[in-house]
Amino acid sequence: MTSSSSPSQDTKRFAHTYPEGLRADALMEEDVAWSHEIDGERDGDQFDRSERAALRRVVGLSTELEDVTEVEYRQLRLERVVLVGVWTSGTAQDAENSLAELAALAETAGALVLDGVIQRRDKPDAATYIGSGKAEELRDVVLETGADTVICDGELSPGQLIHLEDVVKVKVIDRTALILDIFAQHAKSREGKAQVALAQMQYMLPRLRGWGQSLSRQMGGGSGGLATRGPGETKIETDRRRIREKMAKMRREIAEMKTGREIKRAERRRHKVPSVAIAGYTNAGKSSLLNRLTGAGVLVENALFATLDPTVRRAETPSGRLYTLADTVGFVRHLPHDLVEAFRSTMEEVGDSDLILHVVDGSHPDPEEQLATVREVIREVGATDVPEIVVINKADAADPLVLQRLLRVEKRAIAVSARTGRGIEELRGLIDNELPRPAVEVEAVVPYTEGRLVARAHSEGEVISEEHTPEGTLLKVRVHEELAADLAPYVPAPAL
């Protein structure tokens, strides 16, 4: 990327452009018209007209192997892709970060990234996403690199998809299709597979292609004679009808699975067990944090969306209170709307929790963008009223200045490292303080024959003190109303 010409370069340019008599006036006008301190800060990156409109290469995205001996560790046949982004707002660095994330997604899906280009536009072209001229240039890049797929950093309409493929002559997919493909690879549970399948069918339905009337069927309508010939229902119409039928069936199945999860959730609420949900950007270290807090043994991998299926594990605070810890689906910028809808039932774990651990990757180039993206999805699932602790993970690899900035901006935040264990004990204590506490404080002498009440006090309440006496167990606990009523018969009468 090339920035605008400096004043010294402009001096040389004006020397050739203006006659001797006008050169001083021209230079004075140039100095007055442009100031690095004022205009540079106000306008951001400066580009010439041609540079603004040109496709600019984003270096460092290629994942092509230099050592051919490593090929045995890669898939037998990887798709070779070129990435394309449209920069409509923000800075050039924001656009490059978005394309770098797209490259990570493509690599997670099993593709080989060869090149990446960005086009500066006010808005994506309605026909070909980047404009017809730039589409021709993209075709040259595809031929030069030998790519067989183009991935666009945005959601393309069916028309844009068809027109861009017509120009570049290779397969074109968008960011949504790429994320859906990754989800399809990583979903393991029955519910996860059903949710991904539903999202894929919602995405595919308006993008089906057919051969038109050449594949139409006869109309039918009796044993013969009239109404037996005609265009009838075309093949693409049949496909759309079948997809709608499958989608309806899939929604019913997901609703049934949701009922089972709601029963388990209601059981936890009945026993007054607090719940904590881990939410965050993909690859921020949510599963690593779950393993560190509970020993869950969930798959941990340095890849986007390595784990999709939600995991709920039992955990204990330093004061001995039990709670559940739920790992949720990772988020990413521009998460497809169909995917949010399909996984809404899973994400309800966040909305029904008592506390959210919002995990952010402290070593990421733009952690604030991660925080904003996740909070947008949390708003969509209606969990804005749930208390939140920002957990800045990977503190061992993060820039200390970035950690200081995040801790200063986020009022309820803590820096930890799930890999080394740094800050984990402090996080446990913070969870203990933030979880809702039982409302009623009770002091009772529970007979030894009623040991189940003592066990319930430990599992459902907060034990302040416990002492064994000849009459029974002297408990001083903070519990909910239901357990307080069960303990009431054993509360000593006040002394006269």
Side-chain angles (χ1 to χ4, degrees), residues 370-403:
Q370 288 193 353
L371 286 167
T373 299
V374 174
R375 282 171 176 158
E376 181 181 347
V377 180
I378 288 176
R379 279 195 300 272
E380 287 186 27
V381 298
T384 52
D385 297 332
V386 182
E388 174 192 71
I389 296 176
V390 176
V391 182
I392 308 167
N393 195 20
K394 306 183 184 179
D396 55 320
D399 185 347
L401 294 177
V402 174
L403 291 180

Short mmCIF file of all heavy atoms in Angstrom, two decimals, residues 370-403:
data_model
loop_
_atom_site.label_atom_id
_atom_site.label_comp_id
_atom_site.label_asym_id
_atom_site.label_seq_id
_atom_site.Cartn_x
_atom_site.Cartn_y
_atom_site.Cartn_z
N GLN A 370 -13.02 -7.68 18.44
CA GLN A 370 -13.57 -8.94 18.92
C GLN A 370 -14.65 -8.71 19.98
O GLN A 370 -15.72 -9.32 19.94
CB GLN A 370 -12.45 -9.80 19.50
CG GLN A 370 -11.50 -10.40 18.48
CD GLN A 370 -10.63 -11.48 19.09
OE1 GLN A 370 -10.64 -11.71 20.29
NE2 GLN A 370 -9.87 -12.17 18.27
N LEU A 371 -14.37 -7.82 20.91
CA LEU A 371 -15.35 -7.53 21.96
C LEU A 371 -16.65 -6.99 21.37
O LEU A 371 -17.75 -7.42 21.76
CB LEU A 371 -14.76 -6.49 22.94
CG LEU A 371 -13.68 -6.99 23.91
CD1 LEU A 371 -12.99 -5.81 24.58
CD2 LEU A 371 -14.27 -7.90 24.96
N ALA A 372 -16.55 -6.07 20.40
CA ALA A 372 -17.74 -5.48 19.80
C ALA A 372 -18.55 -6.52 19.03
O ALA A 372 -19.79 -6.54 19.09
CB ALA A 372 -17.33 -4.33 18.88
N THR A 373 -17.86 -7.43 18.31
CA THR A 373 -18.55 -8.46 17.53
C THR A 373 -19.33 -9.40 18.43
O THR A 373 -20.50 -9.72 18.17
CB THR A 373 -17.52 -9.25 16.69
OG1 THR A 373 -16.85 -8.37 15.80
CG2 THR A 373 -18.21 -10.34 15.89
N VAL A 374 -18.71 -9.85 19.51
CA VAL A 374 -19.38 -10.79 20.41
C VAL A 374 -20.56 -10.13 21.11
O VAL A 374 -21.64 -10.72 21.25
CB VAL A 374 -18.37 -11.34 21.45
CG1 VAL A 374 -19.09 -12.22 22.47
CG2 VAL A 374 -17.28 -12.15 20.75
N ARG A 375 -20.38 -8.89 21.53
CA ARG A 375 -21.48 -8.19 22.21
C ARG A 375 -22.67 -7.96 21.27
O ARG A 375 -23.82 -7.92 21.71
CB ARG A 375 -20.97 -6.86 22.76
CG ARG A 375 -20.17 -7.06 24.06
CD ARG A 375 -19.47 -5.82 24.53
NE ARG A 375 -18.82 -6.08 25.82
CZ ARG A 375 -17.80 -5.36 26.28
NH1 ARG A 375 -17.33 -4.35 25.57
NH2 ARG A 375 -17.27 -5.64 27.45
N GLU A 376 -22.40 -7.80 19.99
CA GLU A 376 -23.50 -7.65 19.03
C GLU A 376 -24.34 -8.93 18.97
O GLU A 376 -25.57 -8.88 18.96
CB GLU A 376 -22.93 -7.32 17.64
CG GLU A 376 -23.99 -7.12 16.59
CD GLU A 376 -23.39 -6.81 15.22
OE1 GLU A 376 -22.18 -6.52 15.14
OE2 GLU A 376 -24.13 -6.88 14.23
N VAL A 377 -23.67 -10.09 18.95
CA VAL A 377 -24.41 -11.36 18.93
C VAL A 377 -25.12 -11.59 20.26
O VAL A 377 -26.25 -12.09 20.30
CB VAL A 377 -23.46 -12.54 18.61
CG1 VAL A 377 -24.21 -13.86 18.59
CG2 VAL A 377 -22.76 -12.32 17.28
N ILE A 378 -24.49 -11.20 21.38
CA ILE A 378 -25.14 -11.33 22.69
C ILE A 378 -26.42 -10.51 22.73
O ILE A 378 -27.44 -10.93 23.28
CB ILE A 378 -24.16 -10.92 23.81
CG1 ILE A 378 -23.06 -11.98 23.97
CG2 ILE A 378 -24.89 -10.73 25.13
CD1 ILE A 378 -21.98 -11.62 24.99
N ARG A 379 -26.39 -9.33 22.12
CA ARG A 379 -27.61 -8.52 22.04
C ARG A 379 -28.69 -9.23 21.24
O ARG A 379 -29.87 -9.18 21.57
CB ARG A 379 -27.30 -7.16 21.42
CG ARG A 379 -26.72 -6.14 22.39
CD ARG A 379 -26.78 -4.75 21.82
NE ARG A 379 -26.05 -4.61 20.58
CZ ARG A 379 -24.76 -4.31 20.50
NH1 ARG A 379 -24.07 -4.11 21.60
NH2 ARG A 379 -24.15 -4.21 19.33
N GLU A 380 -28.28 -9.90 20.15
CA GLU A 380 -29.24 -10.58 19.28
C GLU A 380 -29.97 -11.71 20.02
O GLU A 380 -31.13 -11.99 19.73
CB GLU A 380 -28.55 -11.13 18.03
CG GLU A 380 -28.15 -10.05 17.03
CD GLU A 380 -27.61 -10.65 15.75
OE1 GLU A 380 -28.00 -11.78 15.41
OE2 GLU A 380 -26.81 -9.99 15.08
N VAL A 381 -29.28 -12.37 20.94
CA VAL A 381 -29.92 -13.48 21.66
C VAL A 381 -30.56 -13.01 22.97
O VAL A 381 -31.04 -13.82 23.76
CB VAL A 381 -28.91 -14.63 21.94
CG1 VAL A 381 -28.39 -15.19 20.66
CG2 VAL A 381 -27.76 -14.16 22.83
N GLY A 382 -30.59 -11.69 23.20
CA GLY A 382 -31.30 -11.14 24.35
C GLY A 382 -30.64 -11.38 25.68
O GLY A 382 -31.32 -11.68 26.67
N ALA A 383 -29.31 -11.26 25.76
CA ALA A 383 -28.60 -11.52 27.02
C ALA A 383 -27.90 -10.27 27.52
O ALA A 383 -26.88 -10.36 28.21
CB ALA A 383 -27.59 -12.65 26.82
N THR A 384 -28.45 -9.10 27.21
CA THR A 384 -27.78 -7.85 27.58
C THR A 384 -27.84 -7.57 29.08
O THR A 384 -27.03 -6.81 29.60
CB THR A 384 -28.41 -6.67 26.82
OG1 THR A 384 -29.83 -6.70 27.02
CG2 THR A 384 -28.11 -6.75 25.34
N ASP A 385 -28.81 -8.17 29.79
CA ASP A 385 -28.96 -7.90 31.22
C ASP A 385 -28.12 -8.83 32.10
O ASP A 385 -28.09 -8.66 33.33
CB ASP A 385 -30.43 -8.05 31.64
CG ASP A 385 -31.32 -7.03 30.94
OD1 ASP A 385 -30.80 -5.94 30.61
OD2 ASP A 385 -32.51 -7.32 30.71
N VAL A 386 -27.44 -9.80 31.50
CA VAL A 386 -26.63 -10.75 32.28
C VAL A 386 -25.29 -10.10 32.64
O VAL A 386 -24.63 -9.53 31.76
CB VAL A 386 -26.40 -12.05 31.49
CG1 VAL A 386 -25.61 -13.06 32.32
CG2 VAL A 386 -27.73 -12.65 31.06
N PRO A 387 -24.86 -10.14 33.91
CA PRO A 387 -23.54 -9.58 34.28
C PRO A 387 -22.42 -10.22 33.47
O PRO A 387 -22.48 -11.41 33.13
CB PRO A 387 -23.42 -9.91 35.77
CG PRO A 387 -24.81 -10.14 36.24
CD PRO A 387 -25.58 -10.70 35.08
N GLU A 388 -21.38 -9.43 33.20
CA GLU A 388 -20.30 -9.89 32.31
C GLU A 388 -18.95 -9.61 32.95
O GLU A 388 -18.72 -8.54 33.52
CB GLU A 388 -20.42 -9.16 30.97
CG GLU A 388 -19.29 -9.43 30.00
CD GLU A 388 -19.30 -8.48 28.82
OE1 GLU A 388 -18.99 -7.28 29.01
OE2 GLU A 388 -19.63 -8.91 27.71
N ILE A 389 -18.06 -10.62 32.86
CA ILE A 389 -16.66 -10.44 33.22
C ILE A 389 -15.84 -10.62 31.95
O ILE A 389 -15.96 -11.65 31.28
CB ILE A 389 -16.20 -11.46 34.29
CG1 ILE A 389 -16.96 -11.27 35.60
CG2 ILE A 389 -14.70 -11.34 34.53
CD1 ILE A 389 -16.62 -12.31 36.65
N VAL A 390 -15.03 -9.64 31.60
CA VAL A 390 -14.16 -9.74 30.42
C VAL A 390 -12.88 -10.46 30.84
O VAL A 390 -12.14 -9.97 31.70
CB VAL A 390 -13.85 -8.36 29.84
CG1 VAL A 390 -12.87 -8.49 28.68
CG2 VAL A 390 -15.13 -7.68 29.37
N VAL A 391 -12.65 -11.63 30.24
CA VAL A 391 -11.46 -12.43 30.54
C VAL A 391 -10.49 -12.27 29.38
O VAL A 391 -10.73 -12.77 28.28
CB VAL A 391 -11.82 -13.91 30.74
CG1 VAL A 391 -10.57 -14.71 31.10
CG2 VAL A 391 -12.87 -14.07 31.83
N ILE A 392 -9.40 -11.56 29.61
CA ILE A 392 -8.40 -11.33 28.56
C ILE A 392 -7.44 -12.51 28.60
O ILE A 392 -6.55 -12.59 29.45
CB ILE A 392 -7.66 -10.00 28.78
CG1 ILE A 392 -8.68 -8.87 28.94
CG2 ILE A 392 -6.73 -9.71 27.61
CD1 ILE A 392 -8.07 -7.58 29.46
N ASN A 393 -7.63 -13.45 27.67
CA ASN A 393 -6.84 -14.68 27.65
C ASN A 393 -5.54 -14.47 26.86
O ASN A 393 -5.37 -13.47 26.17
CB ASN A 393 -7.68 -15.81 27.03
CG ASN A 393 -7.07 -17.18 27.30
OD1 ASN A 393 -6.27 -17.35 28.21
ND2 ASN A 393 -7.43 -18.15 26.49
N LYS A 394 -4.66 -15.46 26.95
CA LYS A 394 -3.35 -15.46 26.28
C LYS A 394 -2.50 -14.27 26.74
O LYS A 394 -1.81 -13.63 25.94
CB LYS A 394 -3.53 -15.45 24.75
CG LYS A 394 -4.41 -16.59 24.23
CD LYS A 394 -4.50 -16.60 22.72
CE LYS A 394 -5.45 -17.68 22.24
NZ LYS A 394 -5.60 -17.73 20.77
N ALA A 395 -2.60 -13.96 28.04
CA ALA A 395 -1.83 -12.84 28.58
C ALA A 395 -0.33 -13.07 28.47
O ALA A 395 0.45 -12.12 28.43
CB ALA A 395 -2.22 -12.61 30.04
N ASP A 396 0.10 -14.36 28.42
CA ASP A 396 1.52 -14.65 28.30
C ASP A 396 2.08 -14.26 26.94
O ASP A 396 3.28 -14.04 26.80
CB ASP A 396 1.77 -16.14 28.56
CG ASP A 396 0.93 -17.03 27.65
OD1 ASP A 396 -0.25 -16.69 27.42
OD2 ASP A 396 1.44 -18.06 27.17
N ALA A 397 1.21 -14.17 25.92
CA ALA A 397 1.66 -13.83 24.57
C ALA A 397 1.24 -12.42 24.15
O ALA A 397 1.58 -11.98 23.05
CB ALA A 397 1.10 -14.83 23.56
N ALA A 398 0.51 -11.71 25.00
CA ALA A 398 -0.03 -10.40 24.63
C ALA A 398 0.97 -9.29 24.93
O ALA A 398 1.86 -9.42 25.77
CB ALA A 398 -1.34 -10.14 25.38
N ASP A 399 0.79 -8.18 24.22
CA ASP A 399 1.59 -6.98 24.46
C ASP A 399 1.14 -6.37 25.79
O ASP A 399 -0.05 -6.13 26.00
CB ASP A 399 1.35 -5.99 23.32
CG ASP A 399 2.23 -4.76 23.42
OD1 ASP A 399 2.83 -4.55 24.49
OD2 ASP A 399 2.32 -4.00 22.43
N PRO A 400 2.07 -6.11 26.72
CA PRO A 400 1.68 -5.54 28.01
C PRO A 400 0.90 -4.23 27.88
O PRO A 400 0.02 -3.95 28.68
CB PRO A 400 3.02 -5.32 28.73
CG PRO A 400 3.95 -6.30 28.09
CD PRO A 400 3.51 -6.42 26.66
N LEU A 401 1.23 -3.42 26.86
CA LEU A 401 0.51 -2.17 26.67
C LEU A 401 -0.94 -2.42 26.27
O LEU A 401 -1.85 -1.70 26.70
CB LEU A 401 1.21 -1.32 25.60
CG LEU A 401 2.62 -0.82 25.96
CD1 LEU A 401 3.23 -0.05 24.79
CD2 LEU A 401 2.56 0.06 27.20
N VAL A 402 -1.17 -3.46 25.45
CA VAL A 402 -2.54 -3.82 25.06
C VAL A 402 -3.33 -4.28 26.28
O VAL A 402 -4.50 -3.91 26.47
CB VAL A 402 -2.52 -4.90 23.97
CG1 VAL A 402 -3.94 -5.39 23.67
CG2 VAL A 402 -1.88 -4.37 22.70
N LEU A 403 -2.68 -5.10 27.15
CA LEU A 403 -3.35 -5.56 28.37
C LEU A 403 -3.73 -4.38 29.26
O LEU A 403 -4.85 -4.32 29.79
CB LEU A 403 -2.44 -6.52 29.13
CG LEU A 403 -2.17 -7.89 28.50
CD1 LEU A 403 -1.25 -8.71 29.39
CD2 LEU A 403 -3.47 -8.64 28.28
#
